[in-house]
Amino acid sequence: MTPLSKTVIRYGLLIITAAILQRGLLSQIRIDGAVPDVLLVLAVAAGIVGGTDRGATVGFSSGLALDLMITTPFGLAAIAYLAAGMVAGVLETSLVRSARWLTIAIAAVSAVLGVVVFALFGTLLGRSDLLDRQLVSTCLVVAASTAILVLPVMRVCRWADRDLDHLRTSLR
């Protein structure tokens, strides 16, 4: 089995686990009507750990998993999470050496970007209810939950990427 196929299988398991946690546990936690989003945290953490391409790929896959569970236009979450994972990868790799607090800030900003892209594209596709006063509280809840969860999820993403580490260092 190649290192890339091992990584794909591991990320697949992470996405399935995150989807189950999102649907079964986190959907029950409501703060001012907003719900923490572990699939978005996974996309952002993958971008921080694996770079732009990894963030985009995991973000798109995580978004598709969420699209299967919610009643918005199909592919909306996939595009939003792709953007969030990609931006997290761009911001993290543009820094030479980032402190932990800066990584947390990058994760929170990227997650908020994902929520805003979701709301804007959803509005363009006819869901005007996504851009309401609830958007601010949703952004705050998602930013806070991402800031709390991103470091442990990054550790899990490093586990998923561990077979590609030797390839990544040889490419730099």
Side-chain angles (χ1 to χ4, degrees), residues 67-159:
D67 281 330
L68 293 172
M69 296 186 289
I70 59 175
T71 58
T72 56
F74 190 74
L76 182 58
I79 296 299
Y81 289 15
L82 179 144
M86 202 164 102
V87 165
V90 166
L91 291 176
E92 184 68 23
T93 56
S94 67
L95 301 172
V96 175
R97 180 165 182 160
S98 67
R100 209 174 256 180
W101 69 268
L102 192 55
T103 299
I104 292 170
I106 287 170
V109 167
S110 300
V112 168
L113 174 82
V115 170
V116 170
V117 167
F118 184 88
L120 289 176
F121 281 175
T123 302
L124 290 174
L125 294 172
R127 291 289 306 266
S128 60
D129 60 322
L130 295 176
L131 271 181
D132 59 1
R133 60 179 168 64
Q134 190 79 13
L135 182 61
V136 174
S137 65
T138 301
C139 286
L140 290 174
V141 168
V142 167
S145 62
T146 301
I148 293 168
L149 294 173
V150 72
L151 293 178
V153 174
M154 282 174 53
R155 185 173 289 228
V156 175
C157 288
R158 283 191 191 97
W159 165 79

Side-chain angles (χ1 to χ4, degrees), residues 6-82:
K6 288 180 184 179
T7 301
V8 168
I9 290 170
R10 287 183 185 135
Y11 271 113
L13 291 172
L14 289 178
I15 291 169
I16 290 169
T17 303
I20 292 168
L21 283 173
Q22 184 67 41
R23 186 68 172 172
L25 179 65
L26 293 177
S27 64
Q28 308 302 318
I29 301 171
R30 292 204 175 270
I31 304 167
D32 197 27
V35 176
D37 192 347
V38 73
L39 287 163
L40 182 56
V41 175
L42 180 62
V44 169
I48 290 171
V49 169
T52 308
D53 293 340
R54 182 68 35 81
T57 304
V58 173
F60 186 78
S61 303
S62 296
L64 281 180
L66 183 67
D67 281 330
L68 293 172
M69 296 186 289
I70 59 175
T71 58
T72 56
F74 190 74
L76 182 58
I79 296 299
Y81 289 15
L82 179 144

